[in-house]
Amino acid sequence: MAMGGITLKWGLILFLLLCVIGGRETAVGGIKFVDVTRESGITFRHTDGSGGRRYIVESVSAGLALFDFDGDGDIDIYFLNGAPLRGTAADAAATNRLYRNDGNWRFTDVTAQAKVGDRGFGLGVVAGDYDNDGDLDLYINNYGPNVLYRNNGDGTFTDATAEAGVANGHKVGAGACFLDMDKDGDLDLFVANYLGFTYDNHLQRTSQGISKYAGPTDFPPMPNTLFRNNGNGTFTDVSVESGIAQHAGWGMGSICVDYDDDGDTDIYVANDVYANYLFRNDGTGKFEEVGLMAGLAYDVQGDEQASMGVECADFDNDGRLDFYQTSYTKELATLHRNLGHGLFADVTLLTGAGSGTFAYVTWGTGLVDFDNDGDRDIFVATGHVQDNIERYDNAAASATRNVLLLNQGEGTFVDVSERSGDGMQAIGRSRGAAFDDLDNDGDIDVVVLNARAAPTLLRNESSEQGHWLQVALRGVRTNRDGVGARVTVVAGDLVQTDEVHSGRGYQSHYGMRLHFGLGSHAHVDRIEVRWIGGGLDVCRDVEVDQLFVLTEGDCKSPAPGGSGTLSGVE
C-alpha cells in the first residue's frame, strides 16, 4: 500500500504496455456479469470502524469467505466487519455476518443462530476442517486477538480460540491459510501479520495540507506466525523453529501451494512495499525463504511492489502453477509465470495481464475460467486506499470500477471490463473478492466486499459457454478436504492442473471445489489426484457438466505408463 513515491519507471512501462496492447486484436468479450445484490436479500454493509482519526487499519479492511458451512451443497457467504476503533462513537459494535445460501440467489442472515458474529476488527479469514470431523471451521485474522470458530455440524459454531491456542496476541492481521505442512493428515495454520501498529504509535500524513492515511513503512514490519496442529484440537506456535519468524515484513495476502511440485506445501506472502516472501518447505515443516532466488520478490524492473492480494493457478495450461498479485496505483498487477525448477518470470507486459490496472489500487483477485473455454481469465477488485484522494489529486478517484481480463487462449489477456455486463460497471472501494458457483449452474460467480458500503454479488450469465467439471475432494488418510492435493483433468488434448487451497486472494477464502472449463470437450478421459503424502488416484471416463466428488482411494489405478507422474506436469 505504497503512499509515497512511484517506484515504477513510468515511461518504459507505458511504452511496453502500449506495444503489447496495440499489437493485438481486441477480442469480443464473451463474459457477462449481472449485479444481483439487491434481490439477494443481503443487507450487510461494511464498516471500517473509522471516526475521522485515520488509523491505518481502517484502509485495509477486509476479506470475505465463500464456503459451504452447513454441508447442504451450496456455497454460503461470510463477510468481515471492522469494530469501532478508539474515539469512534457507535451505538453497537458491528459484527461479521454469515449468510446462508437458500438457492435461486436468495440468502438469509444466520449470524446469530450460527454464533459467528465476532465483534473484533476483521481483516482476513480462512475456512478449513482443522479437526477432520467433516465440516468447515472458520479462522478470523483480526486487529486484536484472532478467533477460531469450530463448526459443530448442526449449523452452529463454538468459539474454540482459547482451547486451540491460536489467538495470536494483539497484532494487525492480514491473510491466513490452512495447510498440511508436515503431511501428517491434519491442517496446520499460517497467519500473516501486517505491521506493528498500535494506538500509541498512530500518526497521520498530509498532502497539500489535507489529512490522509499514513503508509505501511511508517510502522515496523512484523514476522508471521505458524501454528502446528497437534491433532487433539490444539495448536503449537512453531514460528521460530520452522524458520518463518526469521523474516519480518508487511504481510498482506497469502497462499499456500506446492510451487515447485515436490509433493509438499510451500507458503507465499505478498508484502506491502517490500520484497515478497516465498517460504520453501523441506517436507517436514521447516521453511527457507527463497523469494529472491525464485524471481518472485520483485517485479521485472527489480522494484518491490505494494503487493496486496495473491492468487495461484495455471494460466497457460503447461502443468505449472503461476502467481498473480495485485498492487498499488501506478504499479501493474503482476503475473509471474512458473518456468519450472523453482523459477518464475514476470510476464505481465508480455501477456497483457496488467491491462487496466495501472491507474488503480488493486486488491482481491482470481484466476478463473469464467466462460468455460478451457483457460483462466482474471478478475481484479479495485478501490483507493485514501477515501479523500480527489481532494488533493484530481487525476485519481477513491471509488473505481473493477477489472476483468479475458484470456485469449494464447497466454495473452485483453481488458473486457466495459463490455461484460452491468456488474462490471459497479463503482466502489473494493477490497476482498471471492469466486465460486453460487447457483450450482456450472459457471463461476463473484462476490466483492466494498469498504464502507454494501457488497457486490455478480451472477455469471456468460453466453456460449463450454462444458465444465467441478471436483470436490474427500480425504481419508489425508486432511478431509484434500487441501494441498494436486488435480489434473485430461479431456482429449486439453490438460489442466489445479490444487486445493485454503485461504487466498486478498485476505479471503474461496474455491475449494475446483472448477475446470472444458470448452467443446464433452467427455473427460481421466482425473488424476496426487494427495498430500504421495497417494495417487486416477478416475477414468468421467461425465462432464457435473460436480464430481472424489474420495481418497475410490479410484485407485496405476498412472498412465506406470510412471506415477501426473499428466501435463514436468
Side-chain angles (χ1 to χ4, degrees), residues 307-367:
S307 303
M308 304 291 195
V310 60
E311 167 71 311
C312 181
D314 182 8
F315 84 94
D316 52 1
N317 289 340
D318 66 352
R320 306 186 187 102
L321 298 177
D322 313 293
F323 289 107
Y324 188 79
Q325 68 189 47
T326 52
S327 192
Y328 200 66
T329 181
K330 305 303 186 291
E331 297 178 347
L332 297 174
T334 303
L335 178 63
H336 293 278
R337 172 181 282 145
N338 191 332
L339 305 176
H341 309 291
L343 300 175
F344 291 80
D346 181 344
V347 295
T348 309
L349 295 172
L350 294 175
T351 62
S355 301
T357 67
F358 187 74
Y360 300 139
V361 182
T362 53
W363 303 84
T365 187
L367 276 163

Side-chain angles (χ1 to χ4, degrees), residues 153-171:
D154 59 0
T156 69
F157 292 76
T158 297
D159 186 338
T161 314
E163 171 191 339
V166 290
N168 199 35
H170 196 290
K171 300 181 176 68

Side-chain angles (χ1 to χ4, degrees), residues 214-484:
T217 54
D218 289 319
F219 305 94
M222 294 289 291
N224 301 303
T225 307
L226 183 64
F227 293 101
R228 185 187 65 228
N229 192 329
N230 298 321
N232 60 0
T234 68
F235 291 78
T236 298
D237 187 336
V238 294
S239 309
V240 173
E241 51 264 52
S242 67
I244 294 295
Q246 295 178 19
H247 303 275
W250 290 267
M252 296 201 87
S254 58
I255 193 167
C256 296
V257 56
D258 183 5
Y259 80 94
D260 51 2
D261 195 22
D262 64 351
D264 52 47
T265 303
D266 314 292
I267 303 171
Y268 184 90
V269 182
N271 277 313
D272 197 352
V273 294
Y274 197 66
N276 299 313
Y277 287 150
L278 179 64
F279 293 102
R280 183 175 63 201
N281 193 342
D282 70 355
T284 69
K286 299 292 193 302
F287 294 86
E288 177 186 7
E289 202 289 298
V290 297
L292 179 61
M293 291 184 291
L296 290 170
Y298 305 103
D299 67 10
V300 70
Q301 301 297 318
D303 290 329
E304 69 273 6
Q305 291 182 295
S307 303
M308 304 291 195
V310 60
E311 167 71 311
C312 181
D314 182 8
F315 84 94
D316 52 1
N317 289 340
D318 66 352
R320 306 186 187 102
L321 298 177
D322 313 293
F323 289 107
Y324 188 79
Q325 68 189 47
T326 52
S327 192
Y328 200 66
T329 181
K330 305 303 186 291
E331 297 178 347
L332 297 174
T334 303
L335 178 63
H336 293 278
R337 172 181 282 145
N338 191 332
L339 305 176
H341 309 291
L343 300 175
F344 291 80
D346 181 344
V347 295
T348 309
L349 295 172
L350 294 175
T351 62
S355 301
T357 67
F358 187 74
Y360 300 139
V361 182
T362 53
W363 303 84
T365 187
L367 276 163
V368 179
D369 187 354
F370 291 114
D371 52 2
N372 287 338
D373 64 349
D375 50 44
R376 292 177 181 269
D377 314 294
I378 300 174
F379 185 99
V380 180
T382 78
H384 214 285
V385 170
Q386 305 293 350
D387 58 353
N388 61 347
I389 185 70
E390 295 91 344
R391 294 185 61 193
Y392 54 88
D393 183 351
N394 58 16
S398 57
T400 51
R401 186 196 66 197
N402 297 322
V403 174
L404 178 63
L405 305 179
L406 176 71
N407 190 328
Q408 300 184 106
E410 301 172 351
T412 60
F413 297 86
V414 62
D415 186 350
V416 295
S417 309
E418 293 186 357
R419 52 185 179 277
S420 294
D422 66 4
M424 293 306 302
Q425 305 311 309
I427 302 296
R429 294 177 63 233
S430 299
R431 294 298 186 260
F435 311 87
D436 215 314
D437 185 358
L438 294 180
D439 50 5
N440 289 329
D441 66 347
D443 53 34
I444 300 298
D445 311 294
V446 183
V447 183
V448 180
L449 184 143
N450 300 305
R452 301 183 192 169
T456 307
L457 274 70
L458 302 180
R459 183 172 64 213
N460 190 336
E461 294 188 0
S462 305
S463 60
E464 300 180 2
Q465 293 192 10
H467 294 290
W468 56 275
L469 181 73
Q470 293 176 7
V471 178
L473 300 184
R474 295 292 177 262
V476 177
R477 292 186 306 106
T478 62
N479 69 83
R480 180 256 183 185
D481 292 296
V483 173

